[in-house]
């Protein structure tokens, strides 16, 4: 059942783009990165913006640093609002490096997390090891999100590797493949040393991926979110969004900010994209 947001506003004032879908949605997903919110702040975030959040990632390896009752409260509150919640991929990499993968998955399940992120942003995982982790997550009843890209400064997208990774991860059952952008959005993946998007690489990736809804782009900076929405449309999947920026991003998606303002009879973002980018 889709989550319907009650509103007194005229539908066009609520969403001038006319594109936003209620949850659960297959595109236009927003992933929030929780880097250490206390319980009251987390609860306030959900009270204010839960209908605009699809996934919450408990960033990095912070999950075991919370008091037990706080992390349990967070997980249960997210689940009650139909939000997927999972630990950061770096934490699984720590488990792999210390040969504690079974213990990791057991605790993830015991705590009630609904998802897991499989990544190799810091360590090296060969294809067989990556595949085993994806299947292990699925066997544990978790939604599996994978991530492509290294976290080191200056890392870039290798197109052939990305295409192969997306194809295999999705074939095995991954829900989404995240394009690494870190929490900074600078000097990594699709972002240059100034945090600007590498448009040529983005278009090349999309030209070689059968379905853009398979990808989630980490874009922590407002300028990056604006650029990607204007370039690819409001239904792009975006991640590593700050908790304080949820409504601001949703306003960008709906054309409720000057950066993405839609005038009557103006082509919508995806139509502009089709006119200017023939991929």
């Amino acid at each position: 059942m889709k989550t319907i947001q009650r509103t007194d506003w005229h539908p066009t004032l609520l969403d001038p783009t006319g594109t936003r879908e209620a949850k659960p949605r297959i595109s236009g997903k927003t992933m929030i990165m929780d880097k250490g919110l206390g319980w009251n702040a987390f609860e306030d975030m959900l009270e204010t913006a839960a209908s605009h959040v699809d996934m919450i990632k408990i960033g990095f390896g912070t999950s075991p640093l919370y008091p037990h009752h706080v992390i349990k409260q967070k997980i249960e509150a997210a689940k009650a609002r139909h939000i997927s919640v999972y630990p950061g991929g770096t934490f699984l990499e720590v488990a792999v490096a210390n040969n504690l993968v079974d213990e990791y998955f057991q605790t993830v399940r015991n705590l009630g997390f609904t998802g897991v992120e499989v990544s190799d942003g810091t360590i090296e995982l060969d294809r067989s090891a990556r595949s085993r982790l994806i299947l292990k997550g699925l066997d544990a009843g978790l939604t599996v999100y994978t991530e492509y890209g290294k976290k080191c400064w200056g890392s870039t997208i290798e197109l052939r590797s990305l295409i192969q990774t997306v194809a295999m991860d999705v074939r095995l059952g991954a829900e989404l493949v995240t394009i690494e952008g870190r929490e900074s959005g600078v000097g990594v993946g699709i972002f240059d040393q100034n945090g600007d998007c590498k448009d040529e690489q983005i278009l090349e990736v999309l030209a070689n991926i059968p379905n853009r809804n398979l990808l989630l782009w980490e874009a922590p900076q407002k300028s990056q979110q604006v650029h990607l929405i204007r370039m690819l449309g409001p239904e792009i999947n975006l991640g590593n969004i700050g908790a304080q920026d949820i409504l601001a991003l949703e306003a960008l998606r709906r054309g409720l900010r000057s950066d993405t303002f839609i005038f009557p009879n103006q082509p919508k973002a995806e139509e502009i994209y089709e006119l200017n980018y023939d991929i």
Side-chain angles (χ1 to χ4, degrees):
M1 176 181 295
K2 295 213 171 194
T3 303
I4 304 299
Q5 179 185 10
R6 180 180 173 180
T7 178
D8 295 323
W9 297 104
H10 187 281
T12 300
L13 294 176
L14 179 64
D15 178 16
T17 70
T19 63
R20 292 302 280 155
E21 294 184 348
K23 298 194 304 184
R25 44 188 161 240
I26 61 173
S27 64
K29 293 184 178 182
T30 295
M31 179 265 278
I32 303 307
M33 188 177 189
D34 177 353
K35 296 189 285 186
L37 292 175
W39 166 244
N40 290 335
F42 190 85
E43 187 178 35
D44 286 346
M45 174 189 73
L46 294 180
E47 178 68 24
T48 303
S51 62
H52 310 303
V53 178
D54 302 274
M55 299 95 75
I56 295 175
K57 178 165 67 176
I58 308 298
F60 332 114
T62 59
S63 296
L65 304 182
Y66 290 95
H68 181 78
H69 73 281
V70 173
I71 193 66
K72 286 282 289 182
Q73 277 182 302
K74 283 190 169 190
I75 293 168
E76 293 307 314
K79 288 162 62 175
R81 291 164 175 82
H82 310 289
I83 298 171
S84 179
V85 57
Y86 54 97
T90 302
F91 196 19
L92 177 53
E93 294 181 46
V94 171
V96 171
N98 287 276
N99 197 29
L100 290 170
V101 171
D102 288 343
E103 291 81 355
Y104 175 86
F105 277 100
Q106 181 178 352
T107 305
V108 166
R109 285 195 62 187
N110 289 345
L111 285 170
F113 281 109
T114 62
V116 66
E117 184 176 70
V118 175
S119 69
D120 56 0
T122 304
I123 65 173
E124 295 296 333
L125 281 180
D126 61 29
R127 181 64 251 183
S128 61
R130 185 181 180 96
S131 296
R132 286 196 299 273
L133 290 171
I134 292 172
L135 293 174
K136 194 170 187 67
L138 294 171
D139 288 343
L142 301 167
T143 301
V144 176
Y145 305 95
T146 63
E147 186 172 71
Y148 174 87
K150 294 298 182 184
K151 296 184 182 298
C152 60
W153 175 270
S155 63
T156 58
I157 292 173
E158 297 180 10
L159 182 61
R160 184 183 298 274
S161 172
L162 173 60
I163 293 168
Q164 293 173 345
T165 298
V166 172
M168 182 60 74
D169 287 1
V170 172
R171 188 178 306 137
L172 289 170
E175 181 81 5
L176 289 171
V177 180
T178 302
I179 307 299
E180 176 67 67
R182 302 209 69 179
E183 73 279 9
S184 64
V186 176
V188 63
I190 62 167
F191 305 120
D192 66 17
Q193 67 273 16
N194 298 315
D196 294 329
C197 294
K198 301 176 183 177
D199 291 356
E200 210 170 294
Q201 283 194 11
I202 295 169
L203 293 173
E204 194 174 11
V205 168
L206 291 175
N208 288 275
I209 298 297
N211 184 349
R212 71 176 63 183
N213 293 336
L214 299 175
L215 301 179
L216 183 145
W217 306 83
E218 292 184 343
Q221 297 185 24
K222 179 211 171 186
S223 60
Q224 297 163 352
Q225 297 158 18
V226 170
H227 185 83
L228 289 169
I229 289 171
R230 293 181 67 179
M231 179 180 178
L232 304 179
E235 292 307 288
I236 184 176
N237 300 318
L238 294 173
N240 278 14
I241 308 303
Q244 73 281 4
D245 295 327
I246 300 170
L247 294 183
L249 171 59
E250 189 64 27
L252 285 174
R253 290 190 184 278
R254 299 183 184 215
L256 293 171
R257 294 180 72 175
S258 62
D259 309 87
T260 54
F261 195 97
I262 300 292
F263 289 94
N265 303 317
Q266 174 187 343
K268 294 185 173 61
E270 65 270 21
E271 294 169 351
I272 296 171
Y273 168 73
E274 292 296 339
L275 289 171
N276 292 302
Y277 298 98
D278 184 10
I279 61 169

